[in-house]
Amino acid sequence: MEMLKCTLRTLTAIGVLTTVAHADGVDQLPASEQEIYKIVDPQIPLGASVYKDFKPKKGPPWKIGYASSYAGNTWRAAALDAVMNDLLPRSKEAGLVSDVVVTQSDLKDAVQIQQMRQMVDDGVDAIIICCSNVTALNQTIEYAYNHGVPVFSFSGYVTSPYAINGAANHAQGGAQMAEWLAKKINGKGNVLLVSGIPGFASSDSFDKGAKEALAKYPDITVVGEVAGKWTDQVAQVEVQKFLATNPAQIDGILTQGAQENGVLNAMLQSGRPMVPITLGGEASAACYWRKNPDWVDASFHIWPPRREMQQMWEIMLRTLEGQGPKVQTFLRPVLPYTIEDVRAAIPEDCDLNSTDFVEPKADDWFPAAVADQYFERPADPWKPVK
């Protein structure tokens, strides 16, 4: 299978981002979309989807499983809120989805595997998974495929040929954030890198992109790496510990999303001068920026939780409707946003402890006209069933 050959070829280059020769799947996309795939994590599958001619076991309404690996941060809460209070009600009204079964495995692969297998055995029609290890679930994903249940990996990817992945290009995001930070500190100084959850696709992809970008600046030193686990409380503690035990000057902090407010609070409480910190959408950190407009001059949408969930939900609906996805991995470009966007999104008396997110509009993240180009037989996924 060409897709598997492509995956094997790219696995030889693990750890180094690369410009790849596109597999058949990505080659079918228009040039504007292929551009998004030019620099990627080498493990990410770029071949044709096995679901091009997929037909579900039965017609709608479908029962969906959502097997999340974690529930302990604001980002996961926002993504789940998008399902339960927006996507599911709209899908029910259209006659497309009857119910959603939600589980979380507390970062335990074995638990997530058991939960997914139980979903398959209980008769779900599709499963969305979130932010998991890139290989640990592969056998279970194949088990689901063999039972007619497609699996959709949201905000990250898995290497199984039997899954469909949907996310921003996190490697590109890491590179863009790192490039911005490098220029912000004039190409020299000490940088602290705050990872998400090491071993998870989006976290590792981001870090690879970021490190390769920073390597172009010989006068920049990554003086430390800590794992914030995409959780503000964890990131705050880990950064505080680092700052307390490492007296070296910090000139900038490169952090992944859903934890930048924890990083910010750690700096504020440290007594050290404030430094540039990368921002990825938390409304709390954006509020600090709104109140201190000279602090930074750009931010980046890489992990907008509601937008990413809606993207994957619509990919799932289209697949169940027989629209025929062309590719195994749907990537979105990183979208910069400005202080003007922040001012439009949150009020002047904003909450420095908000758990919400500043997000792009749905039509900016994954517009229908763009989504159509990823499917063999595109149609409106929300069209009510007669």
Side-chain angles (χ1 to χ4, degrees):
M1 184 181 293
E2 180 59 27
M3 176 166 49
L4 289 175
K5 292 178 182 176
C6 174
T7 302
L8 290 171
R9 286 197 300 270
T10 58
L11 282 171
T12 62
I14 290 175
V16 181
L17 297 180
T18 183
T19 302
V20 298
H22 293 140
D24 289 343
V26 174
D27 275 343
Q28 299 177 72
L29 301 177
S32 59
E33 292 302 300
Q34 288 190 35
E35 192 71 20
I36 303 168
Y37 294 78
K38 290 185 79 170
I39 304 296
V40 295
D41 186 321
Q43 289 192 83
I44 197 164
L46 300 178
S49 173
V50 298
Y51 295 101
K52 277 190 174 184
D53 298 308
F54 173 77
K55 294 182 180 179
K57 296 177 294 184
K58 64 178 183 60
W62 296 295
K63 182 179 180 181
I64 308 302
Y66 174 36
S68 175
S69 60
Y70 184 55
N73 66 16
T74 56
W75 189 94
R76 303 286 182 125
L80 182 59
D81 178 73
V83 172
M84 304 310 293
N85 294 311
D86 178 24
L87 301 170
L88 177 57
R90 289 168 59 192
S91 298
K92 282 186 173 182
E93 184 177 356
L96 295 169
V97 173
S98 60
D99 194 14
V100 175
V101 178
V102 179
T103 60
Q104 73 91 10
S105 59
D106 196 25
L107 303 178
K108 297 179 178 67
D109 292 335
V111 174
Q112 192 172 19
I113 287 168
Q114 187 277 329
Q115 290 168 340
M116 291 172 64
R117 284 181 172 262
Q118 190 64 53
M119 287 177 178
V120 173
D121 294 343
D122 288 345
V124 300
D125 297 290
I127 297 174
I128 295 174
I129 60 175
C130 182
C131 322
S132 307
N133 181 284
V134 297
T135 58
L137 307 182
N138 285 359
Q139 287 188 338
T140 304
I141 292 168
E142 184 173 2
Y143 176 82
Y145 172 81
N146 289 335
H147 287 77
V149 179
V151 174
F152 301 85
S153 181
F154 132 79
S155 193
Y157 70 88
V158 289
T159 56
S160 169
Y162 303 108
I164 292 178
N165 306 295
N169 187 335
H170 295 116
Q172 178 197 45
Q176 284 189 223
M177 276 191 167
E179 186 72 26
W180 170 82
L181 184 62
K183 291 178 179 177
K184 189 69 178 172
I185 62 175
N186 298 315
K188 59 184 178 181
N190 294 333
V191 169
L192 174 63
L193 176 63
V194 186
S195 299
I197 301 178
F200 281 29
S202 53
S203 181
D204 289 354
S205 293
F206 180 95
D207 285 354
K208 289 174 185 176
K211 289 177 180 178
E212 289 202 8
L214 291 177
K216 300 174 185 176
Y217 294 86
D219 294 327
I220 289 179
T221 302
V222 177
V223 293
E225 297 182 37
V226 299
K229 295 189 176 180
W230 296 320
T231 304
D232 285 312
Q233 296 88 335
V234 175
Q236 182 170 343
V237 168
E238 293 303 314
V239 173
Q240 284 175 329
K241 284 163 50 178
F242 179 87
L243 295 175
T245 56
N246 293 272
Q249 177 176 315
I250 300 296
D251 299 290
I253 301 179
L254 179 57
T255 180
Q256 297 184 21
Q259 59 191 24
E260 61 256 36
N261 195 52
V263 175
L264 171 63
N265 284 333
M267 280 299 299
L268 289 171
Q269 294 175 19
S270 71
R272 297 190 184 208
M274 181 53 66
V275 300
I277 298 172
T278 54
L279 301 182
E282 282 195 318
S284 47
C287 179
Y288 180 84
W289 184 20
R290 197 188 198 292
K291 296 176 183 293
N292 299 272
D294 295 330
W295 173 41
V296 296
D297 55 20
S299 300
F300 304 86
H301 289 304
I302 304 177
W303 308 271
R306 292 180 176 85
R307 296 290 78 82
E308 284 200 284
M309 179 58 85
Q310 181 173 341
Q311 173 196 353
M312 184 49 76
W313 190 270
E314 292 181 351
I315 292 168
M316 176 192 70
L317 289 180
R318 286 174 179 264
T319 302
L320 290 172
E321 291 163 358
Q323 295 189 27
K326 295 178 180 179
V327 296
Q328 187 176 350
T329 298
F330 292 66
L331 290 183
R332 302 313 306 140
V334 174
L335 298 180
Y337 65 99
T338 67
I339 187 67
E340 287 76 20
D341 296 317
V342 169
R343 288 173 178 144
I346 58 178
E348 187 174 359
D349 61 345
C350 54
D351 183 1
L352 288 167
N353 295 304
S354 171
T355 58
D356 206 350
F357 287 80
V358 176
E359 300 200 41
K361 297 177 181 177
D363 286 344
D364 290 335
W365 185 252
F366 195 48
V370 170
D372 285 349
Q373 299 173 50
Y374 281 76
F375 290 87
E376 297 283 356
R377 298 168 291 277
D380 180 0
W382 293 99
K383 186 177 181 180
V385 176
K386 300 294 185 181

